[in-house]
Amino acid sequence: MSTAKPGKKHRMNVRTRRAVYGYLFISPFIIGFLVFMIRPLFTSLWFSLCSLGPDQIDAAGFHPVPNGIANYLKAFTIDPEFNRLMVDEITRILTHTLAILAISLMIAIILNQEFKGRALVRAIFFLPVILSSGVLVGLETNNSLMQSIQSAIQSNASFQLSDSVMSILRLSGLGTGILDIVADVISQVQDIVMASGIQIIVFLTGLQSIPGSLYEAADIEGCTRWESFCKITFPLISPLLIVNIIYSVIDFFMKTDNQIMDKINTTMVVNMDYGFASAMAWIYFAVVIVIIGVSSGIVSLLRGGVGTYE
Amino acid sequence: MSKKPEVHQLPSFWERNRRSHGYLLRKEARSKAYKLFRFLLLFAICFLILHPILDKLSVSLMEERDLYDSSITSIPRHVTLDNYRITSEQIYYPQALVNTLWIAALVSVLQVAACTLVAYGFARFQFPLKKLWFAAVVLVIIVPPQTISTSLYLRFRYFDILGLFQLFTGKTQNLRGSSIPYYLMSITCMGLKDGLYIYMLRQFFASVPVSLEEAAYVDGCSVSRTFWQVILPEAFPIIVSCLLFAFVWQWTDTFYSRLFLGGNTLLSMQVSGIADRIGNYFSTQLGIATSLGRRQQFVSTATLMVIAPLLLIYLFAQKSFVESISTSGMKM
């Protein structure tokens, strides 16, 4: 990129000049992307194909020794807990993302209606954007000690949502299989609500940009509420579904109760096995890309031929 | 309609209901039922969100004996501020607060400043490979930081520019714990969630009418002056809300802090080991074993002390958090 001022003889034409300015504006990103993203990304891919443990590191630096896909094999076949953690984590991402989408869409629709005290309710609903970030999530579930404390405290505390529901359900004589699923969902409701602050804002934005006249017209034509939801609301906010899916999935990276990330960090910091840690991180990354790709595909299929709004 | 002179006055509810063959009653009932359902739902969810905070607040104010008293559930009988005093000593609260404030403010300003420039570039200029670079932004959003953390960790642990340090001093520079790399990353849009800020700001800039800038250009404004004097004031609300997000997320972040800011006493780092530290403190200093519940009490206190400044900010800037994002229109 040249920042030289155009000489008087051959001035750059407007288009070239705009392009140069464009590159000037995004240059911080380009530098950062090349130095702090592309290079580490390839280095880490290279590490994952190398043996790079405490033996390969000395005071002078580190000397990776290539050993093919041994680290990946180790993750899938030798390591006792990686497969289980991975399956757990994928299930959690899938179920939570679906639940977050459903709940945040529902809440956004409600918050888009007029009622008394809406400002206050909104303020409370977006509080999780602050409260469920970083260290605050899983501060209590993070160490094993705390988990035993939690159960100890909960048995004393008055508030035991899932247990009381469980006892009601047991009395009503439902099978234990259904019981477990119901209890599981209920005990996760709090997590899910706490994780859907941004998603609610995104959906709310989309809902507010849909002209009310569309609903009026549908009403006059005799559409039910459900029909106008399926034919108007859903197609028009479906682009936002992809935004929200991506946001929900990447939100899992930084959660401190993410067991895979925990394992990667431990492998890296405590065991100093950088090769193995990189391999696990790459497997996770690949899975995330597949999840995002497949869900975007499904959403665009659902949308079918419906045009987007811009 | 009725023959009486006051035609504009509607007949009674039951009269209208009779005329509509009960439709009106059903409609009213349905709408009332829906309103009740909506109220219950919203109330329940608000309770879910606020309950942990209230719970922590009450626990943090209790004396130890209140914890074991089963007749006390939420309102402490013996109110004490001792928990706050001990926690504050243990996590070096005043110092950690100042450090966190300073670093979070600096990092968020660096991040948002860089992201604003980049977002404007993406929104307003046409240049070759633009699509490719924007795909790079999306890539930055979806790459888990852990994937690149191994290599960043080793890079900064054994930092060396072209082998120069090795040549002169015989060893490499340990930059781990130094904050400089993190500031560099923040100013080049590779910090915490920077891809997201670029995306949000770009959406906003794209929605500003082009005619605004054209008018400035016609009046002889340069590109940089247009950006400073025309576009930035326009984008002030969204920039403020990005700043708030960056500040809050940096405040609670542990990942980047552990990787780069280990040398500083930060709240998020201090609070993550609080339970064990309190246990140590009681057993070594006072010779008392702490019960699990007691430690949990200190975790609650510490959590409250970390989020208190954030809650304060949220109280005053709630509108900026919510409204400006809604108006910016996060569309695909």
Side-chain angles (χ1 to χ4, degrees), chain A residues 144-166:
Chain A
S144 54
L145 185 75
M146 277 300 143
Q147 277 169 356
S148 56
I149 299 172
Q150 275 212 318
S151 53
I153 285 196
Q154 275 193 348
S155 59
N156 291 328
S158 56
F159 184 68
Q160 262 175 304
L161 188 62
S162 51
D163 276 12
S164 48
V165 171
M166 280 288 268

Side-chain angles (χ1 to χ4, degrees), chain A residues 14-75:
Chain A
V14 176
R15 188 184 292 171
T16 327
R17 212 163 47 199
R18 297 284 291 178
V20 170
Y21 272 120
Y23 265 105
L24 275 182
F25 270 107
I26 69 163
S27 58
F29 174 78
I30 294 179
I31 296 170
F33 184 70
L34 296 179
V35 178
F36 294 113
M37 181 56 71
I38 284 298
R39 244 189 96 178
L41 208 56
F42 279 109
T43 324
S44 135
L45 186 61
W46 168 237
F47 284 172
S48 74
L49 296 170
C50 287
S51 145
L52 182 59
D55 299 341
Q56 282 79 35
I57 297 175
D58 55 37
F62 51 91
H63 319 283
V65 181
N67 67 343
I69 55 165
N71 283 319
Y72 292 90
L73 287 179
K74 185 181 170 190

